[in-house]
Amino acid sequence: MDIIIYGIINSVTLALMALGFTLVYGVSRLPNFAHGALYVLTGFLAWFFINQFTVNYFLAGLGALLITGVVGALMYHLILVRVRGMAISEIIASYAIGLAILEGLRYGGLKGGTYVLRPFVDGSTSILGVPVDYQRILVVVLGALLVGMLWFFVNKTRLGLALKGMAQDERAALTLGIDSDRMAVVSMALGSVFAGLAALVLMPLGNIAVEAGYHVLIMAVAVCIVGGLGSWTGAVFAAFIIGFAQILTDVILGAHFQVVVALIAIIITLILRPSGLFGRQKELEERV
C-alpha cells in the first residue's frame, strides 16, 4: 500500500511540475527551458514577501505568482519572439534566461537550508496503515484541482478555446483572427504561473534551492517527452508512469536513482516512439 499511496503522490507531484511546460509548448510550440528557474523564483519571492514584509502566506503567494507571470510574459515579448520558429535558438535563449535567473539567485546567497516555506498544514495521518503527512495529501488534492481548472479553462472559456485552437492548428486559428503572438504571451504567462503554483505547493516539502530548478526542468521535460510534447493528457498519463517507476526504483535500488529513471524514460521513448505516447506527429515527421 505504501508503494501505491506514495506512487500517487509522486505522480501528482510530477504532473504539477510539468503542466506549465506542456501548456506553453502546446500553444506556441515554444520549449520553455526557463521553467525550472521560474519555479525557484516563485518560491523565493513568496519567502521574501513573508519574511521581509510579514504578509500572510496567501498574499505572498499571490504576489509571487503575479511577478512570475509578468516575468514569463516579458521573456517572450522582449527576447523569445525574436527567435520564434528557430528551434535551437528558442532552447538556447530560454535556457540562458533560466540560467541567468538561477545563478543570479545563487550569487545573491540562495542556498538550501536557509530559505524554507512552512507547510500549509502541519501534522500527519494514516491512510490504510501508511503514514502520510497532511502537506502531501494537500499536494494530491490541489494537483487534481489544478488539472480540473486547466481543463475547464481550456474547454469552457473564450480565451482557453483560442489557446486550444492555436495549439490544434495555428494557420486555421490565424485565419479566424487569433493573434499568434498574443496567444504566445498569454501561454508564457500562464505557464509561468503554473510553474509558480507547483512551487508554492511542493516547496514546503523541502528547501528553496537553486538545484531544485534544474531538477524540476529535467522532470518536466521527461514527462512531456514521454507523454507527447504539447499533449496535456499525455503529460498527466506520463507523470503516473514515471512517478510509479521512481517509487519502485526507490524501494529496490534507492532514492538517488530516481532521476536516472526519468532519463531512461526519455531515451526509451525517443527510440521507440519519438512523438511520445499521445503525440500526434507522423512517423515521417519523426524521422526527418
Side-chain angles (χ1 to χ4, degrees), residues 68-279:
T68 303
V70 171
V71 170
L74 289 175
M75 279 172 52
Y76 179 84
H77 185 70
L78 298 177
I79 300 174
L80 298 179
V81 68
R82 305 177 188 279
V83 296
R84 190 175 181 188
M86 298 180 284
I88 300 299
S89 297
E90 290 173 346
I91 294 174
I92 293 174
S94 61
Y95 184 74
I97 296 170
L99 194 64
I101 293 173
L102 289 175
E103 296 307 319
L105 290 173
R106 190 198 300 274
Y107 181 78
L110 180 61
K111 297 179 181 178
T114 305
Y115 302 86
V116 180
L117 288 178
R118 57 179 174 78
F120 293 170
V121 185
D122 294 316
S124 62
T125 186
S126 178
I127 301 177
L128 300 176
V130 180
V132 184
D133 55 87
Y134 289 127
Q135 182 65 30
R136 284 182 168 81
I137 296 175
L138 191 62
V139 166
V140 175
V141 174
L142 292 180
L145 182 63
L146 287 176
V147 172
M149 289 172 58
L150 179 61
W151 178 90
F152 180 84
F153 171 76
V154 169
N155 292 280
K156 301 297 181 180
T157 66
R158 184 181 181 87
L159 179 57
L161 289 172
L163 291 171
K164 186 176 181 180
M166 187 63 66
Q168 291 178 346
D169 192 329
E170 183 173 355
R171 291 184 179 180
L174 289 172
T175 62
L176 295 174
I178 299 176
D179 190 327
S180 176
D181 284 331
R182 181 188 174 198
M183 291 299 103
V185 170
V186 171
S187 69
M188 278 292 296
L190 287 176
S192 302
V193 168
F194 267 91
L197 285 170
L200 295 178
V201 175
L202 298 177
M203 279 192 167
L205 298 175
N207 299 323
I208 305 172
V210 169
E211 290 72 22
Y214 299 110
H215 175 77
V216 167
L217 177 60
I218 293 172
M219 293 299 108
V221 171
V223 167
C224 292
I225 287 178
V226 173
L229 284 168
S231 172
W232 304 327
T233 303
V236 175
F237 190 75
F240 275 82
I241 294 176
I242 297 176
F244 273 92
Q246 286 184 329
I247 293 299
L248 288 172
T249 303
D250 187 5
V251 172
I252 299 171
L253 299 177
H256 52 285
F257 283 98
Q258 288 192 353
V259 176
V260 177
V261 171
L263 297 176
I264 291 175
I266 292 175
I267 294 171
I268 292 176
T269 303
L270 292 177
I271 292 173
L272 300 180
R273 188 176 173 82
S275 62
L277 298 177
F278 286 76

